[in-house]
């Protein structure tokens, strides 16, 4: 399978990497889907990062958010670096479900963040921008100088995806030669549904566990993303 993946990478001119939490585990960020989701309450993680919970239990939301979703010391791993390096010689886009910003830190230029980013934060009142560093230096519930609550620019459960990001991601997937799905279970919708727009020649999945799309792929590798890419020459 490595040889077949190498040949696909060599021949492809326009590649989209569709990444999920599995690409960031080598950077020390846990796979969110495997988390039991319990943090001082009997609520699931999905409930605690929902829009309604953010509104009704803002302090508890930020306690969980800071503990389970922000990893400020995380650095790009070989998987992120491989994609960024490949982008120097080929037309490479990244469509990611991750909010960690590691693709950009590695140097990737065309990144569509379906679920937003921890690195962008805005006052809900005056819309002033705040960086992640700003937020980390504030109280548990960060507040703007105007008194408004500062909300991370991440898509919570019950919230819709950004229309402009959706258009960019769908256009990239629909027009690429090769789609490489990385570290995602393909169970989070609507993001997982974007795969159906692919019309190219080669569909690849690199994920430690089997997915519902495995049978439709040209290459399926159930292994570490970083270790797989270390065997591929650019």
């Amino acid at each position: 399978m490595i040889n077949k993946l190498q040949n696909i990478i060599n021949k492809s001119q326009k590649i989209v990497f569709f990444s999920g939490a599995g690409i960031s585990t080598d950077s020390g960020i846990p796979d969110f889907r495997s988390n039991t989701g319990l943090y001082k309450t009997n609520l699931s993680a999905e409930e605690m990062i929902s829009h309604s919970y953010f509104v009704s239990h803002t302090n508890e939301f930020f306690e969980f958010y800071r503990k389970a979703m922000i990893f400020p010391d995380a650095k790009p791993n070989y998987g992120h670096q491989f994609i960024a390096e490949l982008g120097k010689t080929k037309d490479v886009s990244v469509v990611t479900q991750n909010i960690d910003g590691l693709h950009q830190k590695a140097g990737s230029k065309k990144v569509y963040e379906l679920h937003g980013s921890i690195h962008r934060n805005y006052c809900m009142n005056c819309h002033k921008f705040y960086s992640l560093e700003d937020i980390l230096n504030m109280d548990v519930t960060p507040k703007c100088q105007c008194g408004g609550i500062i909300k991370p620019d991440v898509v919570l459960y019950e919230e819709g995806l950004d229309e402009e990001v959706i258009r960019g991601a769908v256009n990239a997937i629909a027009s690429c030669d090769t789609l490489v799905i990385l570290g995602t279970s393909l169970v989070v919708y609507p993001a997982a549904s974007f795969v159906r727009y692919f019309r190219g020649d080669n569909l690849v999945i690199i994920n430690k566990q089997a997915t519902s799309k495995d049978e439709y792929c040209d290459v399926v590798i159930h292994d570490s993303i970083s270790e797989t890419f270390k065997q591929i020459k650019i």
Side-chain angles (χ1 to χ4, degrees):
M1 283 296 181
I2 293 296
N3 288 339
K4 190 171 184 180
L5 178 58
Q6 180 74 72
N7 289 334
I8 288 173
I9 296 293
N10 290 347
K11 293 178 181 178
S12 299
Q13 292 302 314
K14 193 169 186 178
I15 306 174
V16 170
F17 291 91
F18 184 98
S19 70
I23 195 172
S24 295
T25 54
D26 286 345
S27 296
I29 300 178
D31 184 342
F32 188 72
R33 297 301 300 179
S34 65
N35 196 311
T36 57
L38 298 179
Y39 177 56
K40 296 183 179 179
T41 76
N42 292 322
L43 298 177
S44 69
E46 284 83 357
E47 290 176 280
M48 296 190 77
I49 54 174
S50 67
H51 177 81
S52 57
Y53 194 80
F54 171 80
V55 172
S56 62
H57 296 80
T58 308
N59 230 44
E60 291 87 347
F61 166 87
F62 275 107
E63 286 180 354
F64 181 81
Y65 178 75
R66 287 172 179 268
K67 180 181 177 69
M69 301 182 72
I70 297 180
F71 297 87
D73 298 326
K75 294 179 173 56
N77 60 56
Y78 191 83
H80 300 104
Q81 293 164 357
F82 174 90
I83 295 170
E85 189 65 25
L86 189 64
K88 295 178 180 179
T89 57
K90 294 181 182 289
D91 186 342
V92 171
S93 298
V94 176
V95 176
T96 185
Q97 300 176 81
N98 299 338
I99 60 174
D100 52 42
L102 294 182
H103 282 294
Q104 290 94 327
K105 281 188 179 180
S108 288
K109 304 301 182 185
K110 290 193 290 184
V111 182
Y112 300 97
E113 296 174 306
L114 298 178
H115 297 152
S117 173
I118 61 171
H119 297 282
R120 298 187 300 270
N121 304 271
Y122 298 93
C123 173
M124 297 177 69
N125 184 39
C126 72
H127 309 295
K128 181 179 178 182
F129 172 84
Y130 288 88
S131 68
L132 177 60
E133 290 71 24
D134 294 331
I135 299 304
L136 293 175
N137 289 324
M138 294 182 181
D139 293 335
V140 173
T141 297
K143 292 188 177 180
C144 179
Q145 294 172 339
C146 75
I149 293 173
I150 301 169
K151 183 182 182 295
D153 187 21
V154 299
V155 179
L156 305 179
Y157 286 95
E158 303 168 352
E159 294 181 343
L161 304 187
D162 182 274
E163 290 294 331
E164 186 175 345
V165 174
I166 289 175
R167 283 195 296 271
V170 168
N171 288 339
I173 291 172
S175 62
C176 68
D177 307 325
T178 298
L179 177 62
V180 184
I181 300 169
L182 302 170
T184 174
S185 56
L186 293 175
V187 298
V188 177
Y189 281 80
S193 66
F194 290 5
V195 176
R196 75 176 186 268
Y197 293 102
F198 177 63
R199 296 292 183 270
D201 299 322
N202 308 291
L203 184 58
V204 176
I205 285 185
I206 306 173
N207 193 56
K208 287 187 176 180
Q209 287 80 39
T211 78
S212 60
K213 299 294 184 184
D214 285 10
E215 61 182 301
Y216 305 108
C217 292
D218 300 283
V219 172
V220 177
I221 297 175
H222 293 152
D223 201 353
S224 159
I225 295 167
S226 291
E227 293 306 313
T228 298
F229 284 153
K230 285 177 182 177
Q231 302 175 68
I232 304 295
K233 296 179 181 178
I234 297 178

